[in-house]
Amino acid sequence: MRIPGYWRNTQFFYRLAGWKCVHCGAFHHYKPVVCKRCGSREFAQAELPSSGKLITYTIVRSPPRGFELFAPYAIGLIELEDGTRILSQLTDFKENELKDEIKVEAVFRRVRINGDQGIIEYGYKFRPALRRS
Ligand SMILES: [Zn+2]
C-alpha cells in the first residue's frame, strides 16, 4: 500500500453508524420518523461492522448530478457481518475482481462533488478486502 493512502485511511477512518429499528432491525443511515419496513417509531443508535460480503452489484454509466466525475462506478449491495444489508459505492477494484460473495471492507473516500463551488463530500465506500482470510 502507498504511504499517502495509508495515512488518509487511518486519519479519517469513518465508522459506519446509523439507526436500527428496535422492532425489526432494519438499518437507516438517518433517524427516520417511522421505520420503512415495519412502521415502528422506536430506533436505537447502531454501529455497523466495517466488513461483509458483496451480494450483487451494478455498474452506473449515466450518473446523477454531482457524481459525473466518478462515472462509470459500481454500486454494491453488501451484507455486513451482522447480517445488515446496505447499498454502497464500490472502489479500488479491477472489474474482474467483482464477484458475488467476495469479502469487502469499508474505506473512507471522496463520495461526491457538490455544486459549482466544488465542495467535496467524504464518506465510506467498500473495496475488495485486502485480507481474504
Ligand atoms: Zn422496523
Side-chain angles (χ1 to χ4, degrees):
M1 180 181 283
R2 286 173 298 122
I3 297 299
Y6 173 78
W7 284 108
R8 187 173 58 201
N9 290 342
T10 51
Q11 192 179 356
F12 296 114
F13 184 72
Y14 185 87
R15 289 192 287 198
L16 297 175
W19 298 86
K20 263 191 178 175
C21 173
V22 170
H23 291 272
C24 76
F27 178 78
H28 307 270
H29 289 284
Y30 301 99
K31 192 178 184 180
V33 177
V34 295
C35 177
K36 284 177 286 189
R37 192 194 288 167
C38 76
S40 163
R41 292 172 180 266
E42 286 183 77
F43 302 94
Q45 274 194 299
E47 199 167 296
L48 295 174
S50 62
S51 59
K53 66 183 178 187
L54 184 63
I55 302 297
T56 188
Y57 70 95
T58 185
I59 305 287
V60 177
R61 299 185 196 279
S62 302
R65 193 180 158 91
F67 292 85
E68 295 90 342
L69 278 179
F70 300 103
Y73 59 88
I75 295 285
L77 175 63
I78 292 148
E79 185 174 294
L80 299 171
E81 282 166 356
D82 68 353
T84 303
R85 288 187 171 194
I86 63 169
L87 282 172
S88 174
Q89 197 172 326
L90 304 173
T91 189
D92 298 3
F93 61 86
K94 299 179 196 85
E95 203 150 341
N96 63 8
E97 274 187 298
L98 289 185
K99 296 183 185 81
D100 295 353
E101 305 269 305
I102 63 163
K103 289 196 169 192
V104 291
E105 61 189 11
V107 289
F108 199 82
R109 287 286 188 274
R110 199 169 63 165
V111 290
R112 75 185 217 132
I113 297 170
N114 194 355
D116 300 333
Q117 293 171 338
I119 296 167
I120 297 169
E121 296 175 4
Y122 285 82
Y124 62 83
K125 296 182 183 181
F126 281 79
R127 70 176 175 202
L130 299 180
R131 282 178 295 174
R132 309 287 167 91
S133 56

